Amino acid sequence: IAEMELDNHQLLRILGHRLGQLKKYKLAIYIFTEVKKMREEEPQSYRDLGLLYAQNKQYQKAVNYLYEVVKRPWDSRFPDIQLIALNEINAIAAQHKKVNLDKIDSRLIKAMPVDVRVILNWDADNTDMDLWVIEPTYEKCYYGHKLTKIGGKMSRDFTRGYGPEEYMIRRAIPGNYKIKVNYYGNRQQVLAGATTVQVTLFLYYGTKKQVRKDITLRLK
C-alpha cells in the first residue's frame, strides 16, 4: 500500500490501522500525521492519531487530539462523533490518572465503564456501512433499533463514510454476542471497489481489566 499511492488517504488509513495492529505505533503515527495534513477537515484524522498515541502510551497527546474532535464543529456527515471521542477521553482518564484534563470542561469528565464495546470504522468515503450486534437474547441492536431490553445501545448511523459506529452495553449478560457488518451502499462518484472495515472489540472498557481485539475485513 505504501508504495502504491502515497497521496491516497483511504489507502494510507488502511496502512496506518494495520501498522497499529502490528504494534508499529511510531510508523502508524507518522502515517496518520500525513493523513491529517491531507484531510484536516475530517474528525477521523484527529481521532485516529489520538487513539494511536494512546496505544503508544502517550496518553496526554491522545487526550489532546481526541479533544480536538470534541470541541470543533464538523460537517453533518459525522453525526455525534464528538460523543464517541468524549467516551474515549474518559476511558483514558479513568485508566491513567496523571493525564492533565484542565483544558476540558469538568462537566464532560466522568468515568463510564462498560462490559462490552464494539467500534466499527471503514476506509471509504460516501459509503454506508452498518454495525449490527445480535445479543444473547437474539435481539438485534442496529440503527433501526438503537436501545435493547438488556441495555445495549447503538450510536448514530454514519451514512456517508468512515464511521465510527459504536455499540455498548454497561452490564452484559452471559452468552454470545454476534457482530455483523452490513454493506448498505455507497454514493461515490467513481466505481467503488472493496471496502476495508476495522472492528475493534473491548471487554471491560474503561477499566484496568480492559481487553482489546482488532479485526480487519474486506467487504464487497
Side-chain angles (χ1 to χ4, degrees), residues 49-87:
L49 262 175
L51 295 177
L52 255 298
Y53 275 120
Q55 287 182 265
N56 199 39
K57 300 182 180 180
Q58 294 173 270
Y59 302 114
Q60 190 63 58
K61 284 190 173 182
V63 166
N64 293 346
Y65 272 104
L66 289 169
Y67 193 51
E68 290 295 318
V69 180
V70 173
K71 70 182 184 180
R72 293 190 182 201
W74 303 107
D75 188 272
S76 60
R77 290 190 300 139
F78 311 117
D80 288 355
I81 193 169
Q82 294 92 339
L83 298 180
I84 293 174
L86 188 60
N87 209 7

mmCIF file of all heavy atoms in Angstrom, residues 49-87:
data_model
loop_
_atom_site.group_PDB
_atom_site.id
_atom_site.type_symbol
_atom_site.label_atom_id
_atom_site.label_comp_id
_atom_site.label_asym_id
_atom_site.label_seq_id
_atom_site.Cartn_x
_atom_site.Cartn_y
_atom_site.Cartn_z
ATOM 1 N N LEU A 49 -5.264 9.641 15.121
ATOM 2 C CA LEU A 49 -4.000 10.000 15.763
ATOM 3 C C LEU A 49 -4.102 9.845 17.284
ATOM 4 O O LEU A 49 -3.200 9.302 17.931
ATOM 5 C CB LEU A 49 -3.621 11.433 15.409
ATOM 6 C CG LEU A 49 -2.626 11.627 14.267
ATOM 7 C CD1 LEU A 49 -2.445 13.112 13.967
ATOM 8 C CD2 LEU A 49 -1.288 10.983 14.576
ATOM 9 N N GLY A 50 -5.182 10.336 17.853
ATOM 10 C CA GLY A 50 -5.358 10.241 19.291
ATOM 11 C C GLY A 50 -5.338 8.808 19.786
ATOM 12 O O GLY A 50 -4.663 8.482 20.780
ATOM 13 N N LEU A 51 -6.033 7.926 19.090
ATOM 14 C CA LEU A 51 -6.095 6.535 19.522
ATOM 15 C C LEU A 51 -4.747 5.839 19.366
ATOM 16 O O LEU A 51 -4.382 4.983 20.179
ATOM 17 C CB LEU A 51 -7.180 5.800 18.739
ATOM 18 C CG LEU A 51 -8.614 6.288 18.989
ATOM 19 C CD1 LEU A 51 -9.597 5.534 18.117
ATOM 20 C CD2 LEU A 51 -8.987 6.152 20.464
ATOM 21 N N LEU A 52 -3.981 6.208 18.322
ATOM 22 C CA LEU A 52 -2.645 5.627 18.158
ATOM 23 C C LEU A 52 -1.705 6.105 19.259
ATOM 24 O O LEU A 52 -0.886 5.332 19.774
ATOM 25 C CB LEU A 52 -2.093 5.979 16.782
ATOM 26 C CG LEU A 52 -2.100 4.842 15.751
ATOM 27 C CD1 LEU A 52 -1.222 3.680 16.210
ATOM 28 C CD2 LEU A 52 -3.499 4.327 15.470
ATOM 29 N N TYR A 53 -1.788 7.387 19.615
ATOM 30 C CA TYR A 53 -0.962 7.876 20.715
ATOM 31 C C TYR A 53 -1.298 7.135 22.010
ATOM 32 O O TYR A 53 -0.408 6.826 22.816
ATOM 33 C CB TYR A 53 -1.145 9.383 20.905
ATOM 34 C CG TYR A 53 -0.260 10.219 20.004
ATOM 35 C CD1 TYR A 53 -0.810 11.110 19.086
ATOM 36 C CD2 TYR A 53 1.126 10.126 20.083
ATOM 37 C CE1 TYR A 53 0.010 11.882 18.252
ATOM 38 C CE2 TYR A 53 1.948 10.889 19.258
ATOM 39 C CZ TYR A 53 1.391 11.768 18.353
ATOM 40 O OH TYR A 53 2.203 12.519 17.548
ATOM 41 N N ALA A 54 -2.559 6.838 22.224
ATOM 42 C CA ALA A 54 -2.947 6.078 23.419
ATOM 43 C C ALA A 54 -2.331 4.684 23.409
ATOM 44 O O ALA A 54 -1.825 4.203 24.428
ATOM 45 C CB ALA A 54 -4.464 5.993 23.518
ATOM 46 N N GLN A 55 -2.352 4.024 22.248
ATOM 47 C CA GLN A 55 -1.744 2.702 22.144
ATOM 48 C C GLN A 55 -0.235 2.768 22.375
ATOM 49 O O GLN A 55 0.369 1.804 22.851
ATOM 50 C CB GLN A 55 -2.049 2.082 20.775
ATOM 51 C CG GLN A 55 -3.500 1.627 20.630
ATOM 52 C CD GLN A 55 -3.736 0.977 19.286
ATOM 53 O OE1 GLN A 55 -4.169 1.620 18.325
ATOM 54 N NE2 GLN A 55 -3.443 -0.294 19.193
ATOM 55 N N ASN A 56 0.373 3.912 22.016
ATOM 56 C CA ASN A 56 1.812 4.098 22.207
ATOM 57 C C ASN A 56 2.130 4.642 23.608
ATOM 58 O O ASN A 56 3.251 5.072 23.867
ATOM 59 C CB ASN A 56 2.367 5.045 21.138
ATOM 60 C CG ASN A 56 3.870 4.918 20.980
ATOM 61 O OD1 ASN A 56 4.427 3.815 21.027
ATOM 62 N ND2 ASN A 56 4.558 6.039 20.793
ATOM 63 N N LYS A 57 1.140 4.653 24.504
ATOM 64 C CA LYS A 57 1.279 5.089 25.892
ATOM 65 C C LYS A 57 1.633 6.567 26.026
ATOM 66 O O LYS A 57 2.188 6.983 27.045
ATOM 67 C CB LYS A 57 2.298 4.213 26.632
ATOM 68 C CG LYS A 57 1.906 2.733 26.669
ATOM 69 C CD LYS A 57 2.902 1.892 27.440
ATOM 70 C CE LYS A 57 2.470 0.435 27.451
ATOM 71 N NZ LYS A 57 3.426 -0.434 28.203
ATOM 72 N N GLN A 58 1.287 7.363 25.019
ATOM 73 C CA GLN A 58 1.443 8.819 25.089
ATOM 74 C C GLN A 58 0.052 9.401 25.350
ATOM 75 O O GLN A 58 -0.589 9.980 24.485
ATOM 76 C CB GLN A 58 2.046 9.351 23.783
ATOM 77 C CG GLN A 58 3.474 8.884 23.537
ATOM 78 C CD GLN A 58 3.986 9.275 22.160
ATOM 79 O OE1 GLN A 58 3.828 8.525 21.183
ATOM 80 N NE2 GLN A 58 4.600 10.437 22.061
ATOM 81 N N TYR A 59 -0.378 9.242 26.586
ATOM 82 C CA TYR A 59 -1.780 9.474 26.908
ATOM 83 C C TYR A 59 -2.173 10.950 26.856
ATOM 84 O O TYR A 59 -3.304 11.273 26.505
ATOM 85 C CB TYR A 59 -2.091 8.872 28.280
ATOM 86 C CG TYR A 59 -1.788 7.394 28.337
ATOM 87 C CD1 TYR A 59 -0.765 6.901 29.150
ATOM 88 C CD2 TYR A 59 -2.494 6.495 27.545
ATOM 89 C CE1 TYR A 59 -0.477 5.550 29.177
ATOM 90 C CE2 TYR A 59 -2.207 5.136 27.574
ATOM 91 C CZ TYR A 59 -1.185 4.674 28.388
ATOM 92 O OH TYR A 59 -0.889 3.331 28.407
ATOM 93 N N GLN A 60 -1.249 11.852 27.189
ATOM 94 C CA GLN A 60 -1.590 13.270 27.123
ATOM 95 C C GLN A 60 -1.844 13.709 25.685
ATOM 96 O O GLN A 60 -2.810 14.417 25.400
ATOM 97 C CB GLN A 60 -0.472 14.119 27.744
ATOM 98 C CG GLN A 60 -0.870 15.577 27.935
ATOM 99 C CD GLN A 60 -2.029 15.729 28.896
ATOM 100 O OE1 GLN A 60 -1.945 15.298 30.046
ATOM 101 N NE2 GLN A 60 -3.123 16.322 28.445
ATOM 102 N N LYS A 61 -0.983 13.286 24.763
ATOM 103 C CA LYS A 61 -1.191 13.614 23.355
ATOM 104 C C LYS A 61 -2.485 12.986 22.848
ATOM 105 O O LYS A 61 -3.210 13.584 22.046
ATOM 106 C CB LYS A 61 -0.004 13.140 22.503
ATOM 107 C CG LYS A 61 1.228 14.016 22.619
ATOM 108 C CD LYS A 61 2.263 13.631 21.580
ATOM 109 C CE LYS A 61 3.429 14.613 21.581
ATOM 110 N NZ LYS A 61 4.427 14.271 20.537
ATOM 111 N N ALA A 62 -2.766 11.780 23.318
ATOM 112 C CA ALA A 62 -4.002 11.102 22.914
ATOM 113 C C ALA A 62 -5.219 11.929 23.299
ATOM 114 O O ALA A 62 -6.106 12.185 22.471
ATOM 115 C CB ALA A 62 -4.070 9.720 23.559
ATOM 116 N N VAL A 63 -5.253 12.375 24.542
ATOM 117 C CA VAL A 63 -6.387 13.178 25.020
ATOM 118 C C VAL A 63 -6.470 14.496 24.256
ATOM 119 O O VAL A 63 -7.564 14.945 23.879
ATOM 120 C CB VAL A 63 -6.253 13.424 26.543
ATOM 121 C CG1 VAL A 63 -7.210 14.512 27.014
ATOM 122 C CG2 VAL A 63 -6.534 12.125 27.300
ATOM 123 N N ASN A 64 -5.335 15.127 23.994
ATOM 124 C CA ASN A 64 -5.331 16.413 23.286
ATOM 125 C C ASN A 64 -5.924 16.285 21.890
ATOM 126 O O ASN A 64 -6.726 17.132 21.459
ATOM 127 C CB ASN A 64 -3.912 16.969 23.200
ATOM 128 C CG ASN A 64 -3.352 17.360 24.558
ATOM 129 O OD1 ASN A 64 -4.094 17.458 25.536
ATOM 130 N ND2 ASN A 64 -2.054 17.561 24.636
ATOM 131 N N TYR A 65 -5.555 15.238 21.154
ATOM 132 C CA TYR A 65 -6.098 15.054 19.809
ATOM 133 C C TYR A 65 -7.571 14.674 19.840
ATOM 134 O O TYR A 65 -8.369 15.147 19.017
ATOM 135 C CB TYR A 65 -5.294 13.994 19.048
ATOM 136 C CG TYR A 65 -4.097 14.567 18.315
ATOM 137 C CD1 TYR A 65 -2.807 14.408 18.801
ATOM 138 C CD2 TYR A 65 -4.251 15.293 17.135
ATOM 139 C CE1 TYR A 65 -1.707 14.942 18.156
ATOM 140 C CE2 TYR A 65 -3.169 15.830 16.470
ATOM 141 C CZ TYR A 65 -1.898 15.649 16.978
ATOM 142 O OH TYR A 65 -0.814 16.184 16.327
ATOM 143 N N LEU A 66 -7.949 13.830 20.786
ATOM 144 C CA LEU A 66 -9.359 13.452 20.880
ATOM 145 C C LEU A 66 -10.227 14.640 21.258
ATOM 146 O O LEU A 66 -11.366 14.763 20.800
ATOM 147 C CB LEU A 66 -9.523 12.316 21.901
ATOM 148 C CG LEU A 66 -8.982 10.948 21.456
ATOM 149 C CD1 LEU A 66 -8.943 9.985 22.623
ATOM 150 C CD2 LEU A 66 -9.813 10.371 20.311
ATOM 151 N N TYR A 67 -9.684 15.549 22.064
ATOM 152 C CA TYR A 67 -10.463 16.725 22.443
ATOM 153 C C TYR A 67 -10.665 17.668 21.255
ATOM 154 O O TYR A 67 -11.657 18.415 21.218
ATOM 155 C CB TYR A 67 -9.807 17.460 23.606
ATOM 156 C CG TYR A 67 -10.721 18.495 24.230
ATOM 157 C CD1 TYR A 67 -12.021 18.150 24.621
ATOM 158 C CD2 TYR A 67 -10.313 19.798 24.420
ATOM 159 C CE1 TYR A 67 -12.877 19.087 25.180
ATOM 160 C CE2 TYR A 67 -11.167 20.748 24.987
ATOM 161 C CZ TYR A 67 -12.441 20.382 25.357
ATOM 162 O OH TYR A 67 -13.297 21.319 25.905
ATOM 163 N N GLU A 68 -9.765 17.632 20.281
ATOM 164 C CA GLU A 68 -9.985 18.396 19.044
ATOM 165 C C GLU A 68 -11.270 17.925 18.360
ATOM 166 O O GLU A 68 -12.021 18.721 17.791
ATOM 167 C CB GLU A 68 -8.801 18.240 18.090
ATOM 168 C CG GLU A 68 -7.533 18.929 18.543
ATOM 169 C CD GLU A 68 -7.667 20.441 18.599
ATOM 170 O OE1 GLU A 68 -8.272 21.018 17.673
ATOM 171 O OE2 GLU A 68 -7.170 21.045 19.569
ATOM 172 N N VAL A 69 -11.519 16.616 18.414
ATOM 173 C CA VAL A 69 -12.754 16.066 17.833
ATOM 174 C C VAL A 69 -13.969 16.570 18.597
ATOM 175 O O VAL A 69 -15.012 16.886 18.013
ATOM 176 C CB VAL A 69 -12.716 14.519 17.845
ATOM 177 C CG1 VAL A 69 -14.000 13.945 17.245
ATOM 178 C CG2 VAL A 69 -11.497 14.006 17.079
ATOM 179 N N VAL A 70 -13.842 16.664 19.928
ATOM 180 C CA VAL A 70 -14.964 17.070 20.767
ATOM 181 C C VAL A 70 -15.323 18.538 20.558
ATOM 182 O O VAL A 70 -16.504 18.895 20.452
ATOM 183 C CB VAL A 70 -14.636 16.816 22.261
ATOM 184 C CG1 VAL A 70 -15.732 17.385 23.164
ATOM 185 C CG2 VAL A 70 -14.460 15.321 22.514
ATOM 186 N N LYS A 71 -14.344 19.403 20.488
ATOM 187 C CA LYS A 71 -14.614 20.841 20.563
ATOM 188 C C LYS A 71 -14.824 21.525 19.214
ATOM 189 O O LYS A 71 -15.363 22.628 19.167
ATOM 190 C CB LYS A 71 -13.481 21.547 21.311
ATOM 191 C CG LYS A 71 -12.161 21.617 20.572
ATOM 192 C CD LYS A 71 -11.107 22.310 21.441
ATOM 193 C CE LYS A 71 -9.787 22.484 20.701
ATOM 194 N NZ LYS A 71 -8.769 23.160 21.534
ATOM 195 N N ARG A 72 -14.432 20.874 18.119
ATOM 196 C CA ARG A 72 -14.569 21.531 16.815
ATOM 197 C C ARG A 72 -15.928 21.237 16.176
ATOM 198 O O ARG A 72 -16.496 20.160 16.373
ATOM 199 C CB ARG A 72 -13.471 21.063 15.856
ATOM 200 C CG ARG A 72 -12.077 21.505 16.240
ATOM 201 C CD ARG A 72 -11.125 21.203 15.104
ATOM 202 N NE ARG A 72 -9.756 21.559 15.443
ATOM 203 C CZ ARG A 72 -8.812 21.775 14.533
ATOM 204 N NH1 ARG A 72 -9.092 21.657 13.251
ATOM 205 N NH2 ARG A 72 -7.581 22.089 14.905
ATOM 206 N N PRO A 73 -16.419 22.167 15.364
ATOM 207 C CA PRO A 73 -17.628 21.873 14.577
ATOM 208 C C PRO A 73 -17.245 21.063 13.336
ATOM 209 O O PRO A 73 -16.224 21.349 12.702
ATOM 210 C CB PRO A 73 -18.138 23.266 14.187
ATOM 211 C CG PRO A 73 -16.906 24.126 14.169
ATOM 212 C CD PRO A 73 -15.977 23.571 15.202
ATOM 213 N N TRP A 74 -18.046 20.070 13.004
ATOM 214 C CA TRP A 74 -17.747 19.215 11.858
ATOM 215 C C TRP A 74 -18.936 19.178 10.905
ATOM 216 O O TRP A 74 -20.060 19.512 11.276
ATOM 217 C CB TRP A 74 -17.407 17.788 12.316
ATOM 218 C CG TRP A 74 -16.274 17.715 13.268
ATOM 219 C CD1 TRP A 74 -16.339 17.454 14.605
ATOM 220 C CD2 TRP A 74 -14.887 17.926 12.995
ATOM 221 N NE1 TRP A 74 -15.087 17.475 15.171
ATOM 222 C CE2 TRP A 74 -14.176 17.762 14.208
ATOM 223 C CE3 TRP A 74 -14.170 18.236 11.836
ATOM 224 C CZ2 TRP A 74 -12.795 17.904 14.288
ATOM 225 C CZ3 TRP A 74 -12.775 18.365 11.925
ATOM 226 C CH2 TRP A 74 -12.107 18.207 13.129
ATOM 227 N N ASP A 75 -18.676 18.698 9.715
ATOM 228 C CA ASP A 75 -19.724 18.536 8.710
ATOM 229 C C ASP A 75 -20.806 17.575 9.229
ATOM 230 O O ASP A 75 -20.528 16.675 10.028
ATOM 231 C CB ASP A 75 -19.103 17.985 7.417
ATOM 232 C CG ASP A 75 -20.082 17.959 6.261
ATOM 233 O OD1 ASP A 75 -20.792 16.938 6.126
ATOM 234 O OD2 ASP A 75 -20.149 18.946 5.506
ATOM 235 N N SER A 76 -22.011 17.753 8.743
ATOM 236 C CA SER A 76 -23.130 16.910 9.183
ATOM 237 C C SER A 76 -22.957 15.446 8.782
ATOM 238 O O SER A 76 -23.726 14.586 9.230
ATOM 239 C CB SER A 76 -24.447 17.446 8.598
ATOM 240 O OG SER A 76 -24.405 17.451 7.175
ATOM 241 N N ARG A 77 -21.958 15.149 7.951
ATOM 242 C CA ARG A 77 -21.679 13.752 7.596
ATOM 243 C C ARG A 77 -21.193 12.946 8.796
ATOM 244 O O ARG A 77 -21.167 11.714 8.737
ATOM 245 C CB ARG A 77 -20.585 13.690 6.515
ATOM 246 C CG ARG A 77 -21.009 14.192 5.159
ATOM 247 C CD ARG A 77 -19.965 13.864 4.111
ATOM 248 N NE ARG A 77 -18.666 14.451 4.400
ATOM 249 C CZ ARG A 77 -17.498 13.824 4.229
ATOM 250 N NH1 ARG A 77 -17.478 12.570 3.825
ATOM 251 N NH2 ARG A 77 -16.367 14.449 4.480
ATOM 252 N N PHE A 78 -20.784 13.645 9.862
ATOM 253 C CA PHE A 78 -20.159 12.965 11.003
ATOM 254 C C PHE A 78 -20.985 13.185 12.270
ATOM 255 O O PHE A 78 -20.536 13.820 13.216
ATOM 256 C CB PHE A 78 -18.737 13.485 11.197
ATOM 257 C CG PHE A 78 -17.924 13.510 9.924
ATOM 258 C CD1 PHE A 78 -17.465 14.717 9.409
ATOM 259 C CD2 PHE A 78 -17.642 12.353 9.228
ATOM 260 C CE1 PHE A 78 -16.723 14.762 8.244
ATOM 261 C CE2 PHE A 78 -16.902 12.379 8.053
ATOM 262 C CZ PHE A 78 -16.438 13.585 7.557
ATOM 263 N N PRO A 79 -22.204 12.645 12.318
ATOM 264 C CA PRO A 79 -23.104 12.940 13.444
ATOM 265 C C PRO A 79 -22.621 12.341 14.767
ATOM 266 O O PRO A 79 -22.286 11.157 14.842
ATOM 267 C CB PRO A 79 -24.428 12.308 13.006
ATOM 268 C CG PRO A 79 -24.025 11.193 12.084
ATOM 269 C CD PRO A 79 -22.811 11.694 11.358
ATOM 270 N N ASP A 80 -22.552 13.170 15.782
ATOM 271 C CA ASP A 80 -22.262 12.732 17.159
ATOM 272 C C ASP A 80 -20.895 12.071 17.342
ATOM 273 O O ASP A 80 -20.673 11.347 18.323
ATOM 274 C CB ASP A 80 -23.349 11.766 17.663
ATOM 275 C CG ASP A 80 -24.658 12.485 17.957
ATOM 276 O OD1 ASP A 80 -24.683 13.724 17.858
ATOM 277 O OD2 ASP A 80 -25.649 11.801 18.269
ATOM 278 N N ILE A 81 -19.965 12.335 16.412
ATOM 279 C CA ILE A 81 -18.623 11.762 16.603
ATOM 280 C C ILE A 81 -17.971 12.353 17.851
ATOM 281 O O ILE A 81 -17.121 11.728 18.480
ATOM 282 C CB ILE A 81 -17.741 11.976 15.352
ATOM 283 C CG1 ILE A 81 -16.489 11.091 15.454
ATOM 284 C CG2 ILE A 81 -17.401 13.443 15.144
ATOM 285 C CD1 ILE A 81 -15.690 11.008 14.177
ATOM 286 N N GLN A 82 -18.431 13.551 18.250
ATOM 287 C CA GLN A 82 -17.905 14.169 19.470
ATOM 288 C C GLN A 82 -18.179 13.290 20.692
ATOM 289 O O GLN A 82 -17.346 13.194 21.605
ATOM 290 C CB GLN A 82 -18.539 15.551 19.692
ATOM 291 C CG GLN A 82 -18.177 16.574 18.633
ATOM 292 C CD GLN A 82 -19.173 16.614 17.489
ATOM 293 O OE1 GLN A 82 -19.912 15.649 17.258
ATOM 294 N NE2 GLN A 82 -19.210 17.711 16.763
ATOM 295 N N LEU A 83 -19.349 12.650 20.743
ATOM 296 C CA LEU A 83 -19.704 11.818 21.889
ATOM 297 C C LEU A 83 -18.813 10.583 21.974
ATOM 298 O O LEU A 83 -18.427 10.151 23.067
ATOM 299 C CB LEU A 83 -21.174 11.394 21.796
ATOM 300 C CG LEU A 83 -22.200 12.528 21.824
ATOM 301 C CD1 LEU A 83 -23.611 11.957 21.719
ATOM 302 C CD2 LEU A 83 -22.060 13.364 23.083
ATOM 303 N N ILE A 84 -18.479 10.012 20.816
ATOM 304 C CA ILE A 84 -17.616 8.831 20.808
ATOM 305 C C ILE A 84 -16.206 9.203 21.260
ATOM 306 O O ILE A 84 -15.584 8.504 22.069
ATOM 307 C CB ILE A 84 -17.624 8.181 19.416
ATOM 308 C CG1 ILE A 84 -19.021 7.596 19.127
ATOM 309 C CG2 ILE A 84 -16.555 7.093 19.315
ATOM 310 C CD1 ILE A 84 -19.204 7.061 17.736
ATOM 311 N N ALA A 85 -15.687 10.334 20.762
ATOM 312 C CA ALA A 85 -14.356 10.786 21.186
ATOM 313 C C ALA A 85 -14.336 11.111 22.679
ATOM 314 O O ALA A 85 -13.355 10.824 23.377
ATOM 315 C CB ALA A 85 -13.933 12.000 20.365
ATOM 316 N N LEU A 86 -15.420 11.691 23.184
ATOM 317 C CA LEU A 86 -15.504 12.014 24.604
ATOM 318 C C LEU A 86 -15.502 10.739 25.450
ATOM 319 O O LEU A 86 -14.869 10.671 26.516
ATOM 320 C CB LEU A 86 -16.771 12.824 24.871
ATOM 321 C CG LEU A 86 -16.928 13.410 26.274
ATOM 322 C CD1 LEU A 86 -15.784 14.354 26.603
ATOM 323 C CD2 LEU A 86 -18.261 14.145 26.379
ATOM 324 N N ASN A 87 -16.169 9.734 24.970
ATOM 325 C CA ASN A 87 -16.161 8.427 25.625
ATOM 326 C C ASN A 87 -14.730 7.895 25.727
ATOM 327 O O ASN A 87 -14.312 7.356 26.758
ATOM 328 C CB ASN A 87 -17.015 7.467 24.781
ATOM 329 C CG ASN A 87 -17.647 6.377 25.603
ATOM 330 O OD1 ASN A 87 -17.575 6.389 26.817
ATOM 331 N ND2 ASN A 87 -18.252 5.422 24.932
#
